[in-house]
Amino acid sequence: MVVRATEAEIDVVRTNPADAVEMFRQSVIPDLREQDGYEGCYVLLSEDGKMLILSFWESNEAARATRVSGFYQEQIEKFSDLVVYRQAPGREAYDVMIAETPHVATV
């Protein structure tokens, strides 16, 4: 399993982070579910607007395919009219070495 981590800093003065989270829920998650190898995600938000999105993929190839196909950039562009960033989103990939997952209700 591979985790793709996307970090962004939302300007909380000009953007309501809750709006960005809701857009992710309504628009990005359905598109993610259509991608081969997608296994789920966590969306984390701090009080000062830092957002961390962890998406889980069955392999490096599946995670990489979203970049090569342009899928990732399409998802980022969905937020261009709604979100003002303090820093442009960045992305890294990590191999999962240990996974101890809490039971979390779907939000």
Side-chain angles (χ1 to χ4, degrees), residues 4-101:
R4 188 70 80 175
T6 301
E7 296 177 277
E9 288 190 48
I10 297 170
D11 183 337
V12 296
V13 172
R14 294 184 251 170
T15 302
N16 182 347
D19 293 341
V21 170
E22 190 56 30
M23 176 179 259
F24 192 93
R25 179 189 332 274
Q26 291 181 11
S27 181
V28 177
I29 289 178
D31 288 349
L32 280 167
R33 289 179 177 152
E34 294 178 6
Q35 303 304 302
D36 289 336
Y38 172 73
E39 296 186 342
C41 71
Y42 288 122
V43 176
L44 303 123
L45 179 65
S46 72
E47 289 180 3
D48 60 349
K50 292 179 184 173
M51 185 176 255
L52 176 61
I53 300 164
L54 303 174
S55 58
F56 299 86
W57 303 88
E58 70 181 19
S59 66
N60 267 327
E61 293 75 25
R64 232 180 277 130
T66 63
R67 181 179 48 85
V68 174
S69 70
F71 174 82
Y72 174 75
Q73 191 58 39
E74 290 171 14
Q75 303 313 305
I76 294 296
E77 289 173 6
K78 288 180 179 181
F79 294 87
S80 63
D81 291 337
L82 173 71
V83 176
V84 177
Y85 295 106
R86 287 187 292 195
Q87 177 178 327
R91 191 164 102 154
E92 296 287 332
Y94 299 89
D95 291 323
V96 176
M97 307 308 289
I98 298 173
E100 174 67 17
T101 309

